[in-house]
């Protein structure tokens, strides 16, 4: 409504309605964990991404420091189909298998989402990069290898 000249295309991530090598950049946030076939979804991203193109993806992290507490205390009836939480190694391997080379990654939102405690976590993760692998979400910047 606010942008009548916008072109909106509805499609299926496992069978995208675009020709090969269509995009310079693709972002996928809060999506992959809901897919039935991660490999097919990433294969389609690779297909429509131009060689050397950038793919940015975020996924929930199964290695999150508070995952076990979160999983025990959350109301499962509010979301009957659980999202898939990826381990760092699992998502890294899926990306590489689909010719998406990881350039860099970082973690987001660990124990505290906003305020001074969150700023401390971000600061500590900058000092100790492996802490990024223990944060709630993982964000990857990838380059299409072909």
């Amino acid at each position: 409504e606010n942008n009548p000249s916008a072109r909106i295309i509805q499609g299926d991530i496992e069978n995208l309605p675009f020709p090969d090598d269509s995009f310079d950049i693709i972002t996928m946030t809060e999506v992959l964990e809901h897919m039935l076939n991660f490999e097919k979804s990433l294969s389609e991203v690779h297909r429509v991404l131009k060689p050397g193109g950038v793919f940015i993806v975020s996924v929930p992290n199964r290695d999150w420091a508070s995952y076990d507490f979160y999983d025990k205390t959350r109301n499962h009836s509010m979301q009957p189909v659980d999202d898939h939480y990826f381990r760092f190694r699992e998502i890294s391997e899926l990306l590489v298998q689909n010719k998406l080379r990881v350039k860099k990654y970082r973690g987001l939102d660990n124990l505290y989402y906003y305020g001074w405690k969150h700023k401390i976590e971000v600061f500590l993760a900058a000092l100790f990069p492996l802490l990024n692998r223990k944060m709630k979400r993982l964000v990857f910047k990838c380059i299409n290898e072909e």
Side-chain angles (χ1 to χ4, degrees):
E1 289 178 21
N2 293 333
N3 189 352
S5 63
R7 184 172 165 221
I8 298 172
I9 300 170
Q10 184 175 348
D12 177 355
I13 187 69
E14 294 181 8
N15 189 18
L16 291 171
F18 305 106
D20 296 358
D21 306 329
S22 293
F23 299 98
D24 294 311
I25 186 167
I26 296 174
T27 60
M28 184 184 290
T29 61
E30 315 301 319
V31 174
L32 193 61
E33 62 267 25
H34 303 287
M35 298 297 101
L36 295 175
N37 188 333
F38 311 128
E39 295 83 2
K40 179 65 176 152
S41 301
L42 291 172
S43 174
E44 278 294 279
V45 166
H46 173 263
R47 182 185 67 77
V48 300
L49 188 61
K50 291 179 182 177
V54 175
F55 176 51
I56 297 171
V57 61
S58 70
V59 294
N61 184 7
R62 176 59 181 90
D63 295 322
W64 172 33
S66 298
Y67 176 81
D68 291 332
F69 173 77
Y70 163 78
D71 191 50
K72 286 178 190 169
T73 59
R74 74 186 181 111
N75 183 347
H76 287 268
S77 66
M78 295 292 290
Q79 186 175 355
V81 177
D82 289 340
D83 297 338
H84 181 79
Y85 277 67
F86 292 87
R87 293 194 179 276
F88 180 86
R89 184 175 176 162
E90 175 190 15
I91 186 63
S92 297
E93 288 174 357
L94 281 169
L95 293 167
V96 169
Q97 288 167 5
N98 286 281
K99 301 177 184 120
L100 299 162
R101 180 172 44 89
V102 175
K103 277 293 265 188
K104 64 175 157 176
Y105 72 91
R106 66 173 290 197
L108 296 174
D109 295 340
N110 193 18
L111 300 173
Y112 310 100
Y113 303 110
Y114 305 103
W116 66 271
K117 291 179 182 179
H118 178 69
K119 290 177 183 174
I120 290 172
E121 288 180 339
V122 171
F123 175 75
L124 290 173
L127 288 178
F128 306 102
L130 286 178
L131 288 178
N132 283 287
R133 294 186 186 193
K134 292 295 183 184
M135 297 182 95
K136 185 176 183 183
R137 300 200 68 73
L138 296 168
V139 180
F140 290 85
K141 177 182 179 183
C142 306
I143 304 296
N144 186 1
E145 289 279 273
E146 293 181 356

